[in-house]
Amino acid sequence: MTARDAVAAGAPAPENPPRRALALHRELDRVWRNDPGLWGQVTSLSHSTLGLRFMGTAFVFFGIGGLLAMLIRSQLATPDGAFLDTALYNQIFTMHGSIMMFLFAIPLLEGLAMYLLPKMLGTRDLAFPRLSAFGYWCYLLGGTILIIALLAGVAPGEGWFMYTPLSGRTYSPGVNADVWLLGVTFVEISALSAAIELMVSILRLRAPGMKLTQMPLFAWYMLGTAAMMLAGFPPLILGSVLLEMERAFGWPFFDPARGGDPLLWQHLFWLFGHPEVYIIFLPAAGVLSTVIPVLCRTRIVGYGAVVAAILGMVFLSFGLWVHHMFTVGIPHLALAFFSAASMLVAVPTAVQIFAWIGTMWRGRPELKMPMWYVLGFFLTFVMGGLTGVMLAVVPFNWQAHDTAFVTAHLHYVLIGGFVFPMMAGVTWWMPMMSGRRRIRGLGEAAFWLVLIGFHGTFFIMHLTGLMGMPRRVPTYPDNPEWVWLNLTSSFFSFVMTIGFALFLMDIVLQALLGKRSPRNPWRAPTLDWALAVPPPTYNFASLPGAALQAAGAIEAMLPLARGEGFLPGAPRGRREILVTSVGTARPEHVAVLPFNSALPFVLALAICGFVLLMLAGFYEIAVLALIPVVGLIWMWVRRAPAGNDREEIDVAAGLRLPTRPRSGTTLTLSGLQCLLFADGTFFASLLFGLAYLSLVSPGAPMPAWPPDARILAAGAAAVLALLATGAVCTQRALSRSEAGGRPSASLIAAATLVFVALLALVSQAIWQLPDPTRHAGDAVRAAIIAYVGLHVAVSAVFGAYALDQARRGEPPPCRSGALRSWRLWHGYTLAVAALGMAGIWAQAAAA
C-alpha cells in the first residue's frame, strides 16, 4: 500500500526529515511577502495584513461611534437640551447604532477571525485571499460613504432599523434614507464575503488529521457565526433592495395604500436583527473559550457540551425575531411561541457560562490582564441575559417596549457579551500581532474606568426606563425622577469614554514602545502560538500533522520551522496550501493561491461607482456601470491560478497529491455552494414576502390581473423547458470533458438554450406582467421575475466563459472548474425558476 492509499484509509502520513530553518524561511518569504510601499498595502492578499486592517479600521469607526454617543448623552444630560436640534439628533443616534452594528462589531470579529483561524488551523492562508481583500475594500468604501453623508448633513435619521413608513419617500424625501440602504448593503457584501471565506477555510483547510471534533473551540464558534451570517444577512439585503426599489421606482412593497405593509420591513429586518446579536456574541464566546482554559492552566470543561450549545444557539437564534414585534398586534398564539423560544435560547447560553465557570473552578486562575476583562464579561453579560429573559415575557415587554430599559438591555448584551470579551482577546493576542509586551498600568486603569463608567451609565437607564422614559427622544419633560438619572448616566458615559480611550492608547503604545515579547508568553497549547511573534506572512514553514498538533505549541515550534511537517517550503515558487476533507481532515490535494493583486480594490471601486450613481439618481447610467463590474469579474476568474490534475506534489515522505482533484469538490466549488446557500436564503425571504403580502397583509386588495392563461402557461413552460434542456446539455458537456473529449457542441447548445430562455423570460415580463407600481402584489411578482432573470443572465455569462475557456484550449480547468460551477449554478437557477413561477401562480389563484 502506498502512502497515499494509507492516508486515504485514515492512517497518519509520515512526516518530512528536518531541514535548515533559515533557508526555508527565506524561500517562503520570497513567495508570500507583501509588495513594498503603499502600493503593496493596496495589493496585499495576506490574511494577517487584512485581518489587522479590518480590526484597525473597525476601531476607527468605533471611535467615531463613541463620539456620536457622547453627543447623544450631552443632549440628554438636561431635560430641554439645546445642544442638538431634532433633525441632527436623529441623524446622530441613527448613525451611532448603524456604525456600532455594521461598521464596528461585525468587521472586528471578521478581522480577528481572518487573522487567527489559519494560524489555529495549521494552514498558511484562507481559501480565497482575493475575496478577503475585496470584502475589506467594500467595507472601507461603504463605511466612508456613510461617514461622509453624516458630515454633509444628509445621513439617515430614521433609526438604525429604518422602520417604514418613516423611511419611505413620503416622510424621508431626500437622499438620507438611500445613503443607509445602499451604503449598508454595500458593506454587507463584505460580511457575506467573509462568511464564505471563513466557512470554506474551516471546513477544507484544517491541518492533516485535525478532525472536526478536535479543532479549537474558536473555530467551532466561527463556523457557527459564518453559517448564521450566510442565513441572516440576506433578509436584510432583500429588505434594503425592496425599500430602495420603492423609493427609486415606486414599487409599493411597504405602502398600505397600494397593498403593501410596513410590518413586512420589520419581519425582514429582524430576521437579520436577532441572529445578529448571536453573530456578535459567538466569536466573543470563542475568545472566552480560548483564554479561560489557558489562564486557568487546565482544559475547557465540557468540550462536547459547548459544541452542542453552539449548534443550539445557531438553530434557535432564527426563531426569535418576532419578540422585537410583540407590540405590533400579532396573534396571541404567535406571542406565546416566540416568547417561549426567547426564553429557550437562554439554555445554550447558560451551558457555556457554566462550562467557563467549571473550567475556572477546576483550574488555577491567574489574574492577568485578559482575565480582568473576562470577569467584567461575567458581571455584565449575565445581567444583560437576565433582563433579556424579562423582555421575553410578553406583558413586561408591552410595558418596557421602546423605553430606556430596552436601550440598557441592548448595551448590557452587546458591550458585556462582545466588547469585554473582545478587549480580552485583543489584550491576549497583541503580543502576537505586535511582537511586543504590554506597558503595565494603562490597561488596568482602562478596565476599571470602562467597567465603572459602563454600569454607571446603563444600569441607571434600567431605572429610567422603568419610570417610563421613552428612548430615541432629544428632549423630555422636566420630571424630577428623570433629570438626575439622566445627568448621572451622562456623567458616567464620559468616564467610560475615557476608559476606552486609555484602552486604545494602551494598544498603540504597546505596538510602538513595548519591549520585545517572547514566543508564547501565555504558555498556550494552541497552534497559533507555535509561531514567531509577529508571525511571518506564510505562518508555517511546514504544516503540522496529527503528531505535532498533539505535541502542543511549545514542542511543535522547532519541528515545524525545520520543515518536518507537511508541504515544507515553497520549492515551486507558488503559494501552496493543503486542502483536506471536511470530517477527518484527510489530505486531498494542494491548492495554488493567487499572488498579490490590485483587482479586488478595482472591483470594489467599480461597485462603489454604481452605488454613488444610484445615490445621485442616475439610474440608467448606473445600469451601464455594471458592465465594467462584469468585465472585472471575468478578469478575476481568468487570472485565477490554474492547477493541473496531472501534476503531483511531494507533500510528505511517500505522499504525492495533485494540485487539482480529478473528482471531489474544489475550494471554488465549496465557495459557490456557500454562496448559493446565502442566495437561497435571499430567495426564501422573497417568497416569504410574497406569501405575507398575499395572505396576511391588511393592505388594499389586489386588483384583477386577467392574463391570457394559455399564453402565460405556454411562456412559463417554454422558459422551464429551455432551462431544463440547457441543464442536460451542461451535464453532457461536463461528462465529455471529464472523459477527455471535446465538449464544444454541448457547450454551444447549452449556452444558446440559456440565452433563448433569458429572451423568453424578458418577453414574458414585458408583455404579460402588470405595472409593478400598481400594487404590492404586482411588485413582488415582478421582483421574483427579476430575480430569476438575473440568475438566468449569470448562467448565460457562465456559458460564455466556458465557451471561451474551451476555445483557449484549457481542458484541465474546464474539466474541474467553469463547467462544474456552471452546472451547479444552472441547476439552482432551474430550481428557483420553477419555485418562483409556482409562487406566482399560487398568488394569482389565491387572488
Side-chain angles (χ1 to χ4, degrees):
M1 179 183 290
T2 65
R4 186 170 178 177
D5 295 332
V7 170
E15 296 180 343
N16 289 294
R19 308 184 189 185
R20 293 183 58 191
L22 185 58
L24 282 178
H25 166 73
R26 289 172 176 168
E27 183 180 284
L28 283 159
D29 184 64
R30 280 195 300 270
V31 173
W32 288 86
R33 66 188 173 195
N34 296 333
D35 296 332
L38 180 61
W39 184 245
Q41 294 300 309
V42 173
T43 61
S44 174
L45 304 183
S46 166
H47 78 95
S48 294
T49 301
L50 292 170
L52 291 174
R53 194 178 293 168
F54 260 104
M55 289 187 281
T57 308
F59 276 121
V60 171
F61 284 122
F62 178 69
I64 296 172
L67 289 175
L68 298 182
M70 293 304 96
L71 295 178
I72 294 171
R73 288 312 319 173
S74 298
Q75 172 70 14
L76 296 176
T78 56
D80 296 310
F83 187 68
L84 302 170
D85 62 47
T86 301
L88 184 55
Y89 178 85
N90 290 341
Q91 291 188 26
I92 286 175
F93 88 74
T94 298
M95 287 300 297
H96 166 70
S98 300
I99 288 172
M100 291 306 193
M101 284 292 187
F102 300 110
L103 302 183
F104 166 63
I106 296 295
L108 181 62
L109 68 88
E110 290 171 2
L112 186 66
M114 284 182 182
Y115 184 86
L116 288 176
L117 278 176
K119 300 172 177 62
M120 286 187 168
L121 299 177
T123 187
R124 288 177 179 150
D125 210 325
L126 296 168
F128 309 113
R130 291 186 298 179
L131 188 62
S132 298
F134 170 69
Y136 173 75
W137 294 117
C138 288
Y139 161 52
L140 179 63
L141 293 172
T144 302
I145 289 173
L146 291 170
I147 299 303
I148 291 176
L150 176 63
L151 296 176
V154 292
E158 292 75 28
W160 73 277
F161 35 79
M162 292 295 289
Y163 281 171
T164 55
L166 290 178
S167 55
R169 183 66 71 183
T170 301
Y171 299 101
S172 181
V175 76
N176 305 53
D178 300 299
V179 168
W180 192 96
L181 295 170
L182 293 169
V184 168
T185 301
F186 192 15
V187 171
E188 295 316 307
I189 296 175
S190 170
L192 287 179
S193 300
I196 294 170
E197 179 79 273
L198 298 176
M199 175 75 77
V200 176
S201 299
I202 293 170
L203 293 178
R204 303 298 310 280
L205 297 186
R206 301 192 309 279
M210 184 184 287
K211 300 178 181 179
L212 280 175
T213 54
Q214 297 172 341
M215 67 180 183
L217 277 175
F218 184 80
W220 270 111
Y221 279 103
M222 290 311 308
L223 184 63
T225 301
M228 294 173 71
M229 291 168 71
L230 289 176
F233 282 99
L236 174 64
I237 295 173
L238 172 66
S240 299
V241 170
L242 296 184
L243 183 52
E244 182 59 28
M245 291 174 70
E246 177 174 301
R247 291 177 55 83
F249 308 117
W251 293 23
F253 299 103
F254 310 105
D255 181 5
R258 290 182 287 167
D261 192 345
L263 287 184
L264 176 60
W265 168 266
Q266 292 195 35
H267 280 289
L268 293 174
F269 183 86
W270 291 116
L271 273 169
F272 146 82
H274 201 84
E276 161 84 347
V277 175
Y278 297 99
I279 289 171
I280 291 173
F281 171 69
L282 283 181
V287 171
L288 297 172
S289 294
T290 302
V291 171
I292 290 174
V294 179
L295 289 182
C296 293
R297 302 301 162 200
T298 186
R299 292 187 176 184
I300 189 77
V301 170
Y303 177 99
V306 172
V307 172
I310 296 169
L311 299 179
M313 291 186 73
V314 170
F315 177 77
L316 290 173
S317 65
F318 287 95
L320 313 178
W321 81 92
V322 175
H323 83 210
H324 293 272
M325 303 168 60
F326 280 168
T327 61
V328 302
I330 62 176
H332 287 180
L333 182 61
L335 288 176
F337 173 83
F338 286 101
S339 178
S342 301
M343 295 180 186
L344 185 61
V345 78
V347 174
T349 307
V351 168
Q352 296 169 80
I353 290 176
F354 280 116
W356 297 325
I357 293 174
T359 302
M360 297 173 70
W361 184 271
R362 186 173 71 176
R364 293 176 289 106
E366 300 177 356
L367 276 181
K368 296 183 178 179
M369 197 65 247
M371 184 58 79
W372 284 109
Y373 290 113
V374 171
L375 296 177
F377 155 80
F378 279 115
L379 174 64
T380 307
F381 182 74
V382 171
M383 294 175 65
L386 292 175
T387 56
V389 174
M390 294 168 64
L391 288 169
V393 179
V394 175
F396 182 84
N397 187 288
W398 283 346
Q399 298 300 316
H401 185 75
D402 263 348
T403 68
F405 186 94
V406 179
T407 305
H409 158 72
L410 176 69
H411 285 83
Y412 261 82
V413 171
L414 294 183
I415 294 183
F418 178 75
V419 175
F420 273 111
M422 281 300 181
M423 293 170 78
V426 170
T427 306
W428 178 262
W429 280 292
M430 267 303 291
M432 177 191 297
M433 298 174 185
S434 65
R436 298 180 182 275
R437 298 179 181 178
R438 187 174 65 86
I439 298 174
R440 295 188 179 276
L442 278 180
E444 289 80 357
F447 166 76
W448 286 110
L449 287 174
V450 170
L451 185 70
I452 295 170
F454 171 80
H455 287 279
T457 301
F458 293 104
F459 184 81
I460 291 175
M461 289 178 69
H462 288 102
L463 305 178
T464 313
L466 290 174
M467 292 178 181
M469 179 174 173
R471 55 177 174 166
R472 301 191 293 270
V473 293
T475 59
Y476 51 92
D478 191 11
N479 296 338
E481 65 272 19
W482 290 1
V483 173
W484 73 270
L485 291 176
N486 275 293
L487 182 60
T488 304
S489 289
S490 295
F491 169 77
F492 279 105
S493 70
F494 281 88
V495 174
M496 179 174 59
T497 301
I498 295 171
F500 281 125
L502 282 179
F503 176 79
L504 294 176
M505 186 185 301
D506 184 29
I507 293 174
V508 172
L509 291 178
Q510 178 176 350
L512 297 178
L513 304 176
K515 296 180 180 178
R516 291 290 301 172
S517 172
R519 287 191 177 190
N520 198 356
W522 311 109
R523 294 177 292 145
T526 49
L527 288 174
D528 50 317
W529 290 104
L531 306 171
V533 290
T537 51
Y538 54 83
N539 291 336
F540 298 95
S542 60
L543 308 183
L548 290 177
Q549 294 169 37
I554 297 174
E555 289 76 11
M557 285 182 187
L558 287 179
L560 290 175
R562 292 196 299 255
E564 296 180 28
F566 290 78
L567 204 65
R572 288 158 293 277
R574 300 182 302 199
R575 296 184 174 184
E576 297 173 345
I577 57 174
L578 192 60
V579 181
T580 56
S581 62
V582 172
T584 59
R586 183 183 66 254
E588 290 186 340
H589 69 277
V590 175
V592 181
L593 299 184
F595 285 102
N596 300 324
S597 171
L599 194 55
F601 175 63
V602 177
L603 179 58
L605 280 179
I607 297 176
C608 183
F610 168 79
V611 171
L612 293 176
L613 287 170
M614 288 289 293
L615 282 174
F618 301 138
Y619 302 123
E620 296 82 2
I621 302 176
V623 174
L624 296 178
L626 292 176
I627 296 175
V629 173
V630 175
L632 288 167
I633 294 174
W634 186 292
M635 187 183 303
W636 181 301
V637 181
R638 281 289 304 272
R639 292 186 179 181
N644 189 335
D645 56 0
R646 297 184 180 88
E647 178 189 16
E648 291 195 340
I649 292 175
D650 290 318
V651 173
L655 177 63
R656 296 173 60 85
L657 295 175
T659 57
R660 188 176 289 270
R662 192 176 182 85
S663 61
T665 303
T666 62
L667 290 179
T668 300
L669 206 58
S670 296
L672 182 58
Q673 290 168 347
C674 292
L675 175 62
L676 290 180
F677 174 77
D679 199 352
T681 305
F682 184 95
F683 182 64
S685 302
L686 185 56
L687 291 181
F688 168 80
L690 175 69
Y692 184 87
L693 292 175
S694 302
L695 304 174
V696 180
S697 173
M702 187 181 302
W705 173 43
D708 189 323
R710 290 174 298 176
I711 296 177
L712 194 65
V719 171
L720 292 177
L722 289 167
L723 291 175
T725 309
V728 173
C729 292
T730 306
Q731 177 59 48
R732 182 175 298 175
L734 178 61
S735 300
R736 286 184 60 83
S737 180
E738 290 181 340
R742 298 185 63 84
S744 301
S746 298
L747 278 177
I748 294 172
T752 303
L753 288 166
V754 172
F755 183 73
V756 174
L758 179 61
L759 293 179
L761 189 65
V762 172
S763 300
Q764 284 282 98
I766 293 175
W767 298 109
Q768 292 293 317
L769 291 182
D771 181 5
T773 65
R774 185 181 68 158
H775 189 272
D778 300 321
V780 74
R781 185 186 298 128
I784 291 175
I785 295 298
Y787 174 88
V788 174
L790 175 62
H791 284 71
V792 176
V794 173
S795 185
V797 175
F798 261 110
Y801 183 83
L803 282 172
D804 182 60
Q805 197 174 51
R807 179 189 61 80
R808 296 195 309 268
E810 299 177 355
C814 186
R815 179 181 302 129
S816 56
L819 270 178
R820 296 178 67 191
S821 299
W822 184 21
R823 179 186 63 175
L824 179 61
W825 180 273
H826 190 74
Y828 174 83
T829 301
L830 176 61
V832 297
L835 289 172
M837 292 180 184
I840 291 174
W841 275 106
Q843 181 203 40

